[in-house]
Every structure is written in structure tokens, then in C-alpha cells.
Amino acid sequence: MPSRESYVVRRGKKQTGRRAEKEASQKGSLFTAALMPAPSKPTSPASTFWQPIRSFALSQLTSLVRRATLRESDLAPKYEKVHNFKVHTFRGPHWCEYCANFMWGLIAQGVKCADCGLNVHKQCSKVVPNDCQPDLRHVKKVYSCDLTTLVKAHNTKRPMVVDMCIQEIEARGLQSEGLYRISGFSELIEDVKLAFDRDGEKADISSSAYEDINIITGALKLYFRELPIPIITYDAYPRFIEAAKITDAEKRLESIHEALKLLPPAHCESLRYLMAHLKRVTQCEKENLMSSENLGIVFGPTLMRAPDLDAMTALNDIRYQRLVVETLITNEDVLF
């Protein structure tokens, strides 16, 4: 026969369970009431009480929906970029946007960022953070524009030229014999360049506008050649050349992997995308006759430029440039 103590314990558990169910029911009704639309009747004390809770709940749901529907461009990485300051003569009174002090003088009172328009003293420009946010009003062209400046101005992961040209090439040109090796007409390649500078992402590079795929490949190579800072930057260039000189394949791969870490994020992402594309080109080698070695010969001098080296040294570096690009293509899935 159960004891009085066990009966008390069971009764206590039942009461605790009922209390928990009641509290849960109350919380559920609170949340339901919070999400219910406001009554059309005159405002009462109860509706006044629920209004802040309802507004908060709806704002949270709206935030969740907004985050869930973000486009890829909105998720673009926040690349760091230094300001492109140039000496500037301001008309009328101007104040430094960093220290908030007046800019004295009649000419060359300070410097102005050519990419975002920030106005500061010359001495203040040395301590301004690397937080340049390029404005499309100042970035007026696509070709010959700094790569990081372009992607920040358009809020994209990679330059539009790279994305659009590669997508067009893969849609209709992967099996074209001599892809990237055969050049298109230079006048038409200049037309593509002008179209990007004028129309940006609205430029028409479809087959109806340029039937020859070699014009699109030429425009892509021209973009990389005209970068003021190569995609493999001047600072990282020596490390890549040193890595290419290593005879042991495994150690060379490891050294190139370390050299990639020296590239700015926008450069590294664009290089990764290009190498993945070139690897897909090599998978159609039977049709286009373009191996990783052949593509290395084409893209070596395009992606890498020697920083202020004499002609003989630059000439000797060509074979190492080819080897770097060939290694990047072959081991794209490992290096990036």
C-alpha cells in the first residue's frame, strides 16, 4: 500500500506539471496576441500595452525575412581599401573630415581621395584608416581601374568584366580551338572595352554583338593587362617567383600556397575564379588543344609583371611565370 509520503510527492509533481502547462499556455497566448493585428476599435489600455510587444515581434520577423532574401551581391566580402589621396585645391572654406579643423591656404590646402571624395589635411592622410568606400561618381571607368576600387564601388566579389566574360566564354566557347591563344580583332576588342567603360554590367557581349569568341577572350586578357596593380601584385611577385624555382613539387606547392596569402582579398578571389575557369578549359583539351602548360604561357605575363626589373631579369622570369600559372590551374582545388 503506498505511503502518505509517496502520495504527497506524486501530488506535488502533478501540480507542478499543471502549473508548467498553464505558464506555457499563457506564454503562447502572449506571443499570439503580440502577432495579432491591432483592433479597429478605439484604443484601449490593453491594446496600448500590447503595441510595443507586437511591434518588436513583427520587426524580428521582418528582419529574418530580409536576411533570408539577401542577394549574393549583398553578401560580398568587405574588402579593405586604402584611400587614393591626391593634392587638391579647394574653392571656398573647407574643413578636414578627419580632424574637423579648418584647411588654411589659398592653393593645395589638403588632399582629396580620388575614389570616395574624402577631404583631409595632408598630415591627416597618413593616419586615416583604410576604410575607403569608392563612389561610382568618382569611379568613371572599368578598365585601368584598381581592382579593389572597382569591386567596392559596385559591391561585388569580383570585377564585372571577369564574371561576364568568363560566363560568356563557358556558354559558347570552351571547345573553340586555340581558346585564349588565338587573338581576336584588336578594334573589336577595344569596342568591348569601351562598352564596359560606358555601360558597365549592361554591356552587351553576347554572340549577336560579337560572334567571334576570341574577341571576348581578348577583352578579358586586356582587362588583366591594363590593371594598374597586377592581379598577382608587385609585392607578392618575388615570393611567387621564388616558389616557382623550387624543384620539389610538393614544397613548391606549399610555397605558392603561402604566397597567395600575400594577395589582397579581392585579387585572391578573382584569381581563384579565373583559375577554376581555366581548369574547366583544360578539361576540354581534346577539342580546344589548350593544356595547363599552354594556358600558363598565355597568362603568365598577363597576370604577373615584374616590378621595376631590368629587361634581362624580366625575360628570365617568363618561364617561372608560366610555371606559377600552370601550378595554379592544375592545383586550383587545393590552393584556394
Side-chain angles (χ1 to χ4, degrees):
M1 185 174 186
S3 63
R4 179 179 177 80
E5 290 80 2
S6 62
Y7 171 75
V8 172
V9 170
R10 288 199 302 273
R11 185 179 179 184
K13 288 182 178 179
K14 289 181 180 179
Q15 291 177 345
T16 304
R18 292 194 193 99
R19 192 181 300 113
E21 290 176 2
K22 187 177 181 181
E23 291 176 356
S25 176
Q26 289 176 347
K27 288 180 180 178
S29 62
L30 287 175
F31 187 71
T32 303
L35 292 179
M36 286 175 61
S40 58
K41 297 179 180 180
T43 305
S44 63
S47 63
T48 304
F49 172 76
W50 290 118
Q51 188 62 36
I53 301 175
R54 185 185 301 111
S55 300
F56 173 75
L58 291 174
S59 67
Q60 293 301 305
L61 289 175
T62 303
S63 177
L64 288 172
V65 172
R66 185 170 60 249
R67 286 198 294 268
T69 56
L70 282 175
R71 298 171 301 175
E72 182 183 357
S73 60
D74 295 326
L75 298 174
K78 304 299 182 184
Y79 299 138
E80 184 180 85
K81 181 190 178 305
V82 298
H83 289 275
N84 182 18
F85 286 121
K86 295 182 179 180
V87 177
H88 190 77
T89 297
F90 299 97
R91 295 181 179 180
H94 267 75
W95 284 261
C96 175
E97 296 180 35
Y98 181 75
C99 69
N101 290 323
F102 187 74
M103 291 184 177
W104 296 97
L106 298 177
I107 60 172
Q109 303 98 323
V111 293
K112 181 175 184 175
C113 179
D115 298 329
C116 70
L118 182 69
N119 304 320
V120 296
H121 288 114
K122 192 178 296 185
Q123 60 270 27
C124 290
S125 66
K126 301 175 183 178
V127 293
V128 171
N130 297 334
D131 58 355
C132 179
Q133 298 292 335
D135 191 326
L136 288 176
R137 292 176 299 176
H138 302 285
V139 181
K140 299 185 182 299
K141 57 183 179 179
V142 174
Y143 278 69
S144 302
C145 177
D146 175 68
L147 193 150
T148 303
T149 299
L150 188 66
V151 297
K152 282 182 72 70
H154 291 272
N155 192 30
T156 56
K157 289 184 178 181
R158 297 170 296 272
M160 66 186 74
V161 179
V162 177
D163 279 0
M164 292 176 63
C165 286
I166 286 179
Q167 289 168 10
E168 190 68 25
I169 293 164
E170 293 193 351
R172 59 185 176 98
L174 283 181
Q175 298 183 351
S176 177
E177 184 176 338
L179 189 67
Y180 285 112
R181 179 176 57 79
I182 299 175
S183 299
F185 290 108
S186 57
E187 294 85 359
L188 295 178
I189 293 174
E190 283 294 323
D191 285 346
V192 175
K193 172 185 172 180
L194 293 175
F196 275 113
D197 283 340
R198 182 182 64 250
D199 304 324
E201 60 186 10
K202 295 180 180 179
D204 182 12
I205 58 172
S206 63
S207 57
S208 58
Y210 302 99
E211 184 177 358
D212 185 3
I213 196 64
N214 296 313
I215 296 170
I216 310 302
T217 60
L220 181 61
K221 290 187 292 182
L222 180 64
Y223 172 76
F224 287 121
R225 283 198 303 271
E226 291 194 354
L227 283 174
I229 300 176
I231 193 167
I232 293 180
T233 61
Y234 294 124
D235 292 337
Y237 181 89
R239 289 288 297 272
F240 278 94
I241 295 299
E242 290 171 10
K245 293 179 179 179
I246 299 174
T247 55
D248 184 86
E250 187 173 342
K251 291 182 178 179
R252 180 170 64 246
L253 196 65
E254 186 176 334
S255 183
I256 289 178
H257 184 263
E258 291 299 314
L260 285 170
K261 297 178 181 178
L262 300 177
L263 298 179
H267 286 240
C268 192
E269 167 60 23
S270 300
L271 184 63
R272 179 202 65 78
Y273 190 73
L274 176 64
M275 293 302 112
H277 162 65
L278 294 181
K279 190 168 187 176
R280 289 190 288 272
V281 172
T282 62
Q283 292 170 356
C284 300
E285 182 182 350
K286 289 183 180 180
E287 293 80 17
N288 59 37
L289 306 180
M290 294 302 291
S291 63
S292 58
E293 182 180 358
N294 292 337
L295 290 170
I297 294 173
V298 173
F299 277 94
T302 301
L303 304 180
M304 304 178 66
R305 297 200 295 273
D308 300 327
L309 296 180
D310 60 87
M312 186 57 66
T313 305
L315 190 62
N316 291 332
D317 283 353
I318 290 179
R319 56 175 175 168
Y320 299 118
Q321 293 171 354
R322 175 195 61 78
L323 186 57
V324 167
V325 175
E326 182 181 349
T327 305
L328 288 173
I329 296 172
T330 307
N331 302 280
E332 167 269 332
D333 55 337
V334 177
L335 291 170
F336 295 97

